[in-house]
């Protein structure tokens, strides 16, 4: 029963039985709840922080530049 909106989120179960919903793009925990409906509504309302996305993409760029380009 995966809705398209939930595809961008990872669900992680906590020891206390609640579930963290973590955005796969900006890695922010958008909601912690034991109710699937709460997670879904938080996921629908979530908008990634552009500043965070930029930060992650900059980090990814830095990692991908592994070969030395020096003369
Ligand atoms: Zn996000």
């Amino acid at each position: 029963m995966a809705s398209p909106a939930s595809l961008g989120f990872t669900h992680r179960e906590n020891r206390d039985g609640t579930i963290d919903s973590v955005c796969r793009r900006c890695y922010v925990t958008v909601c912690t709840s034991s109710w699937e409906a709460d997670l879904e509504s938080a996921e629908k309302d979530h908008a990634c922080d552009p500043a965070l996305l930029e930060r992650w993409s900059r980090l990814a760029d830095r990692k991908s530049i592994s070969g030395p380009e020096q003369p």
Side-chain angles (χ1 to χ4, degrees):
M1 242 172 53
S3 61
S6 67
L7 289 176
F9 297 88
T10 298
H11 288 179
R12 184 176 57 200
E13 200 171 336
N14 297 308
R15 283 187 187 179
D16 61 0
T18 58
I19 299 167
D20 284 341
S21 175
V22 181
C23 177
R24 287 185 190 171
R25 291 180 67 205
C26 67
Y27 306 109
V28 158
T29 302
V30 297
C31 184
T32 302
S33 176
S34 46
W35 298 96
E36 195 76 28
D38 281 355
L39 299 173
E40 276 177 23
S41 85
E43 288 165 4
K44 263 180 229 161
D45 290 344
H46 172 71
C48 296
D49 183 345
L52 265 180
L53 291 177
E54 203 189 307
R55 193 165 132 198
W56 296 134
S57 77
R58 226 181 290 152
L59 282 174
D61 283 351
R62 207 178 294 168
K63 271 183 204 161
S64 69
I65 304 170
S66 52
E69 297 261 332
Q70 289 155 3

